[in-house]
């Protein structure tokens, strides 16, 4: 979140290119923030005990991106502030987003932070690095399950619903109000201060939900559906980003009030398609239900 906020604050203003002095002052600020972001990404790796696996990848990336920054800002190309800001900090390639969907997906191997190095050759901007780092963390099943358990229960289908982390009011409500007859597989809820992460198996393969309750009047809910079991149902999801729906999954965003959050989350999960909603499977199931078994056929023939 600190990196995200910094990226927004770094956007160039017209005064930053008023003359050569103001331009150079802006570039110096950008470079200083770039070095600070290098420290923060390495701290992420260290905090998750992944420094050995990720340290060299992050170092190679920042060595490359700092050289590119120097060439664009101080070298012969002498690009505009806006172009440098976009190229180094904010550009997002659609093909990288698609590859991230395939690489970081709940309940799949390999995945999580350990898969980040396999993506690094495709990473250009800081925003892209932030995206794959964030995706790797919230889709790391082992990481989520390493948190302390607050509570656990089973649903009507025999699957565990587990609450991890440090309980907050939102996560507590969601955990307590998930109905036992909600047709889901194993469900992990990770609770932190102002934040709740969920991984729900058997809805879109492994639905992930990121709930930011820092503003209780406007709780941000972001989600990723990695498997499009039923395109029409996915298109009808609240806040779906139509441009994000591809063969590799779909993402969306909606806002809720705190008093409505558990009800909204349950309703949302219930609306995410599962394998039984795939048109070919649903059709085969309906056909099977309509075909009488041999005993029913014998009884009907006797009646006739």
């Amino acid at each position: 979140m600190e990196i995200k906020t910094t990226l927004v604050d770094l956007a160039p203003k017209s005064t930053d290119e008023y003359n050569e002095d103001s331009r150079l002052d802006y570039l110096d600020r950008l470079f200083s923030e770039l070095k600070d972001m290098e420290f923060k990404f390495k701290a992420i790796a260290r905090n998750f005990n992944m420094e050995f696996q990720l340290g060299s990848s992050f170092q190679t990336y920042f060595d490359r991106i700092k050289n590119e920054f120097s060439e664009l800002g101080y070298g012969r190309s002498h690009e505009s502030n806006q172009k440098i800001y976009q190229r180094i900090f904010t550009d997002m390639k659609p093909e990288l987003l698609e590859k991230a969907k395939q690489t970081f997906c709940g309940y799949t191997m390999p995945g999580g932070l350990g898969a980040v190095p396999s993506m690094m050759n495709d990473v250009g901007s800081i925003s892209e690095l932030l995206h794959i780092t964030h995706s790797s963390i919230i889709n790391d099943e082992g990481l989520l399950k390493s948190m302390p358990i607050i509570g656990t229960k089973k649903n009507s289908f025999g699957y565990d619903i587990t609450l991890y982390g440090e309980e907050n009011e939102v996560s507590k409500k969601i955990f307590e109000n998930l109905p036992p007859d909600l047709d889901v597989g194993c469900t992990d809820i990770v609770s932190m201060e102002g934040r709740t992460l969920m991984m729900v198996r058997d809805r879109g393969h492994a639905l992930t939900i990121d709930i930011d309750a820092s503003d209780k009047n406007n709780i941000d809910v972001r989600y990723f559906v990695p498997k499009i079991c039923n395109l029409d149902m996915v298109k009808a999801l609240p806040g779906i980003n139509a441009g994000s729906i591809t063969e590799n999954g779909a993402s969306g965003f909606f806002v809720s009030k705190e008093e409505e959050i558990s009800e909204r989350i349950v309703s949302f999960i219930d609306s995410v398609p599962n394998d039984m909603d795939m048109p070919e499977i649903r059709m085969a199931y309906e056909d099977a239900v309509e075909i009488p078994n041999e005993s029913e056929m014998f009884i009907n023939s006797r009646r006739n």
Side-chain angles (χ1 to χ4, degrees):
M1 290 303 296
E2 287 181 8
I3 295 171
K4 256 186 176 179
T5 301
T6 301
L7 287 172
V8 174
D9 292 342
L10 282 177
K13 303 176 179 62
S14 58
T15 52
D16 293 321
E17 220 156 5
Y18 176 73
N19 56 34
E20 187 63 14
D21 287 340
S22 61
R23 177 181 178 277
L24 290 174
D25 286 343
Y26 177 72
L27 290 178
D28 290 344
R29 180 189 169 207
L30 283 186
F31 194 68
S32 175
E33 293 291 354
L34 186 59
K35 290 190 291 184
D36 187 56
M37 288 178 183
E38 178 180 4
F39 173 81
K40 287 178 179 175
F41 275 102
K42 289 180 179 178
I44 291 171
R46 187 166 57 252
N47 290 341
F48 286 104
N49 296 317
M50 294 292 290
E51 194 169 15
F52 176 76
Q53 294 92 331
L54 300 182
S56 61
S57 294
F58 283 165
Q59 185 63 59
T60 300
Y61 168 78
F62 277 100
D63 287 346
R64 169 168 57 86
I65 205 71
K66 285 188 289 187
N67 286 336
E68 188 172 345
F69 177 91
S70 296
E71 179 59 33
L72 291 172
Y74 306 111
R76 294 178 181 178
S77 56
H78 205 70
E79 298 289 353
S80 68
N81 287 347
Q82 183 64 38
K83 187 167 182 179
I84 295 170
Y85 169 71
Q86 289 176 339
R87 172 65 194 89
I88 301 297
F89 293 94
T90 63
D91 276 353
M92 292 287 284
K93 298 187 292 290
E95 55 269 27
L96 179 128
L97 300 180
E98 290 304 299
K99 188 170 182 180
K101 287 180 185 178
Q102 293 176 303
T103 305
F104 308 113
C105 179
Y107 304 106
T108 59
M109 292 292 291
L113 276 164
V116 167
S118 68
M119 294 279 296
M120 292 302 292
N121 288 337
D122 301 300
V123 175
S125 71
I126 294 294
S127 289
E128 290 179 341
L129 181 60
L130 183 62
H131 178 75
I132 68 167
T133 305
H134 177 261
S135 297
S136 72
I137 291 170
I138 66 170
N139 287 288
D140 192 325
E141 178 191 3
L143 179 61
L144 300 186
K145 290 187 174 180
S146 69
M147 305 282 281
I149 295 176
I150 302 171
T152 184
K153 61 183 181 180
K154 286 190 181 292
N155 64 16
S156 302
F157 306 92
Y159 293 109
D160 290 329
I161 312 297
T162 309
L163 177 61
Y164 300 89
E166 300 176 357
E167 186 179 284
N168 64 48
E169 202 58 38
V170 168
S171 65
K172 180 182 177 182
K173 284 182 180 179
I174 293 172
F175 175 74
E176 291 177 346
N177 294 333
L178 278 177
D181 60 349
L182 182 63
D183 188 4
V184 296
C186 294
T187 299
D188 298 316
I189 306 169
V190 177
S191 176
M192 299 163 281
E193 184 178 354
R195 199 70 171 269
T196 302
L197 304 177
M198 297 183 67
M199 185 179 291
V200 185
R201 195 159 190 169
D202 297 340
R203 288 287 174 160
H205 173 64
L207 168 70
T208 51
I209 308 172
D210 185 347
I211 304 165
D212 183 351
S214 51
D215 180 355
K216 293 186 177 182
N217 292 318
N218 294 286
I219 296 177
D220 292 343
V221 180
R222 291 176 170 81
Y223 60 86
F224 172 53
V225 183
K227 182 179 179 182
I228 310 298
C229 297
N230 185 300
L231 182 58
D232 290 336
M233 292 178 68
V234 169
K235 286 181 177 179
L237 293 175
I240 191 70
N241 181 354
S244 81
I245 302 176
T246 71
E247 61 181 12
N248 296 314
S251 58
F253 165 81
F254 62 89
V255 178
S256 173
K257 303 291 185 186
E258 184 180 20
E259 59 269 21
E260 302 170 348
I261 187 64
S262 63
E263 182 181 342
R264 291 285 303 277
I265 291 297
V266 170
S267 175
F268 167 67
I269 293 172
D270 195 38
S271 65
V272 175
N274 58 26
D275 284 350
M276 288 301 294
D277 294 309
M278 296 175 71
E280 60 273 23
I281 294 179
R282 178 181 287 183
M283 187 177 300
Y285 174 76
E286 292 173 350
D287 288 345
V289 170
E290 290 174 2
I291 298 174
N293 59 37
E294 290 182 2
S295 60
E296 290 173 331
M297 293 174 68
F298 175 74
I299 291 171
N300 289 335
S301 67
R302 290 286 298 234
R303 285 173 179 167
N304 292 335

